[in-house]
Amino acid sequence: MDADAERRLTELESRLAHHERMAEEMSAVLFEQGRTIDLMTVQMRRLRDRIAELESGVPRAPQDEPPPPHY
């Protein structure tokens, strides 16, 4: 193999290694983000349920009601 072809092959191998490392890093980031989203979804569901509990026990204030259609 001539020197130019060997240099090009070495450069391609280097680029491939770089892209493989980037793919692994991105995969780890996506996995962590997925875990974070799952946790936040559970927390949001709990908060929504808690707010519904609190609102069901408290009478609504008149200013919270929408105005009648004639306004």
Side-chain angles (χ1 to χ4, degrees):
M1 187 179 319
D2 67 349
D4 185 50
E6 190 171 328
R7 179 189 57 78
R8 288 175 42 205
L9 181 60
T10 302
E11 186 178 321
L12 286 173
E13 288 174 339
S14 175
R15 286 183 183 183
L16 176 62
H18 175 70
H19 286 289
E20 287 176 340
R21 186 179 39 165
M22 282 187 358
E24 290 172 4
E25 290 172 358
M26 287 173 48
S27 178
V29 168
L30 287 173
F31 175 76
E32 191 58 39
Q33 286 178 343
R35 286 180 40 174
T36 301
I37 289 170
D38 291 343
L39 176 64
M40 292 173 78
T41 301
V42 169
Q43 291 173 340
M44 186 175 64
R45 190 172 295 129
R46 286 180 186 161
L47 287 171
R48 188 180 58 224
D49 292 346
R50 181 69 177 132
I51 289 170
E53 280 179 28
L54 292 173
E55 285 180 343
S56 67
V58 176
R60 298 191 117 197
Q63 64 267 23
D64 292 340
E65 295 294 323
H70 63 276
Y71 277 100

